[in-house]
Amino acid sequence: MSKFLITGGAGFIGSNYLHYVVNKYPEDNFVCLDALTYAGNYNNIKSLEGKTNYKFIKGDIRDKELVFDLFKEEEFDYVINFAAESHVDNSIKNPNLFADTNILGTMTLLNAVKMMKNEGNHPVKRYHQVSTDEVYGDLPLDRPDLLFTEENPIHTSSPYSASKAGADLQVLAYARTFKLPITISRCSNNYGAYQFPEKLIPVVISKALNDEPIPVYGKGDNVRDWIHVHDHNVGVDLIVRNGREGEIYNLGGHSERTNLEVVKTILKQLGKPESLITFVSDRPGHDRRYAIDSTKVEEELGWDRTYDFDSGMKETIDWYINNQDWIDDIKSGEYKNSYKG
Ligand code: NAD
Ligand code: DAU
């Protein structure tokens, strides 16, 4: 029996992770710590209430007192940090918040892991940082042969990616200086259920369902490598349990699409006209293309994807069609009342 701290578990990827592991590992215990920022939605994890191997704590990873007390009380074996400010457009409007949450929040967790090691009673066996392919910067559109490997240098474009890179560098520094047992995963663009409707895919689905114009930045020719959130989470779980200490692992979807291709796929499935597409001003500093080489995790840990883009997108679009009240609650702000405390 192991005890896990899952931070950011009320967000998109963290909530999918909790649904996966709480059911898969009934012998393990999972504590979710989430500040319930605008992106945290308790509705995503409400159905886990009552599970005997799970509990939720509302709290901020930057709150040193709360975090240190929690570590001493719970004696975690594993820590997985999903908590972050995650939206690039927001980072352009408010860069400081991203440095604060993503770098200093990560450092508070690392300091707690260090404290537990120094006290010697119950050291954390593994700290895992959920990172992103955006730390590698971007690739040119006319070089489809180029992919990011773990050896690529950090080369960030946005305040978001710079803050995630800053966090990764602190994780690596704490590993080397304080000998903390860490791993890092860097994944490409996720899609699936419970994604906050600020990101491309839920924005397009919710607007198309209401016959509203769909904003496509620039020419829509930027390329992302899409992965189903479940495949990402299976990778994180494998890395945390079996990955080599100190290592970085890339996770990618092998499904590169231009934004325009993604938008057209959704419109087609929904039976909506392409005339809804509206080209708007480009995102400042807009990364052109991300593409991930996941050979390392495939060869070392036997990880593979179970979803291909077409079937994964079909399932995802159906989920949003069948859960329009989930989006309506966010639009009305009602979701903020979903946690009663
Ligand atoms: P999200 O924005 O949907 O969720 C983030 C969660 O973190 C929310 O529940 C929020 O309440 C919580 N949070 C934010 N600040 C906090 C704080 N100070 N203390 C405690 N909780 C806090 O994000 P997501 O898309 O689920 O991404 C999760 C992680 O995965 C992030 O670290 C992100 O950088 C990384 N990632 C995301 C993608 C993607 O495509 N979405 C791809 C690769 C990596
Ligand atoms: O690559 C992993 C990253 O993917 C994660 O680290 C980030 O947390 C996550 O937000 C995501 O970043 P992107 O910026 O790629 O995702 P987003 O959904 O915001 O945008 C995807 C692409 O679509 C991007 O090229 C910008 C474009 N876009 C986005 C929105 C919201 C549009 O054209 N119109 C839109 O309305």
Side-chain angles (χ1 to χ4, degrees):
M1 184 219 119
S2 296
K3 193 179 271 191
F4 286 73
L5 173 64
I6 309 297
T7 70
F12 163 47
I13 303 176
S15 61
N16 278 283
Y17 188 80
L18 281 169
H19 285 289
Y20 172 50
V21 293
V22 168
N23 290 307
K24 181 168 183 195
Y25 302 109
E27 70 284 8
D28 290 334
N29 275 300
F30 299 91
V31 177
C32 172
L33 174 68
D34 196 297
L36 297 181
T37 68
Y38 83 93
N41 184 346
Y42 192 72
N43 284 331
N44 297 356
I45 45 175
K46 209 174 180 55
S47 64
L48 293 173
E49 274 176 2
K51 295 269 181 191
T52 52
N53 63 337
Y54 161 81
K55 74 175 171 193
F56 178 80
I57 294 169
K58 184 175 179 213
D60 196 309
I61 57 166
R62 294 167 297 178
D63 183 340
K64 182 183 168 197
E65 199 182 329
L66 177 144
V67 168
F68 274 49
D69 285 351
L70 189 65
F71 272 68
K72 284 185 205 153
E73 205 175 293
E74 298 285 351
E75 301 192 324
F76 298 113
D77 300 295
Y78 296 91
V79 176
I80 308 180
N81 183 23
F82 289 93
E85 288 293 336
S86 70
H87 193 41
V88 173
D89 293 330
N90 290 346
S91 82
I92 295 166
K93 292 181 198 123
N94 187 1
N96 288 37
L97 173 64
F98 281 67
D100 205 25
T101 296
N102 297 355
I103 304 178
L104 296 181
T106 295
M107 290 179 74
T108 307
L109 296 170
L110 290 169
N111 284 327
V113 176
K114 178 165 153 281
M115 177 268 297
M116 292 304 283
K117 180 173 191 272
N118 292 343
E119 291 200 349
N121 293 331
H122 198 105
V124 171
K125 289 183 192 148
R126 178 63 59 84
Y127 172 92
H128 182 76
Q129 180 73 2
V130 179
S131 185
T132 169
D133 61 357
E134 296 199 14
V135 301
Y136 299 122
D138 66 351
L139 296 163
L141 294 176
D142 60 355
R143 288 291 307 275
D145 54 312
L146 295 180
L147 305 174
F148 295 131
T149 73
E150 293 82 358
E151 305 306 319
N152 272 72
I154 299 276
H155 189 82
T156 54
S157 318
S158 71
Y160 163 70
S161 55
S163 70
K164 292 296 289 184
D168 283 14
L169 292 174
Q170 291 294 349
V171 172
L172 294 170
Y174 271 62
R176 174 148 174 181
T177 306
F178 305 116
K179 308 272 178 289
L180 299 192
I182 65 92
T183 36
I184 297 175
S185 52
R186 293 177 175 158
C187 191
S188 59
N189 285 61
N190 286 220
Y191 65 90
Y194 302 121
Q195 186 166 32
F196 199 80
E198 62 186 352
K199 308 279 167 44
L200 179 68
I201 287 176
V203 162
V204 175
I205 297 172
S206 72
K207 287 195 182 292
L209 285 171
N210 292 313
D211 299 306
E212 291 170 16
I214 290 162
V216 172
Y217 300 167
K219 289 191 277 186
D221 59 355
N222 302 64
V223 172
R224 297 292 182 263
D225 175 10
W226 293 97
I227 183 171
H228 193 281
V229 63
H230 178 70
D231 287 334
H232 179 187
N233 282 332
V234 169
V236 169
D237 185 47
L238 265 178
I239 293 165
V240 169
R241 289 169 189 267
N242 304 328
R244 279 184 297 136
E245 195 179 305
E247 293 294 315
I248 297 169
Y249 294 92
N250 283 351
L251 295 163
H254 244 298
S255 291
E256 288 184 48
R257 298 286 186 285
T258 66
N259 293 339
L260 217 41
E261 283 172 326
V262 171
V263 173
K264 286 181 180 173
T265 301
I266 296 169
L267 291 175
K268 191 166 175 214
Q269 189 177 324
L270 292 176
K272 299 288 183 179
E274 290 187 5
S275 56
L276 289 176
I277 294 172
T278 310
F279 293 96
V280 299
S281 319
D282 210 353
R283 173 185 279 173
H286 200 170
D287 279 335
R288 292 160 297 174
R289 170 174 170 254
Y290 306 138
I292 276 275
D293 180 342
S294 314
T295 309
K296 179 174 170 180
V297 70
E298 288 165 25
E299 289 185 351
E300 266 189 35
L301 303 177
W303 176 80
D304 202 357
R305 306 142 203 90
T306 52
Y307 284 88
D308 63 62
F309 183 76
D310 291 338
S311 63
M313 277 299 290
K314 187 176 177 326
E315 183 205 90
T316 299
I317 294 168
D318 285 342
W319 187 88
Y320 286 94
I321 292 172
N322 295 326
N323 290 277
Q324 289 187 50
D325 50 343
W326 181 86
I327 290 198
D328 290 343
D329 266 10
I330 292 175
K331 284 188 178 157
S332 69
E334 185 55 33
Y335 77 111
K336 291 191 180 136
N337 302 321
S338 56
Y339 180 64
K340 304 291 179 212

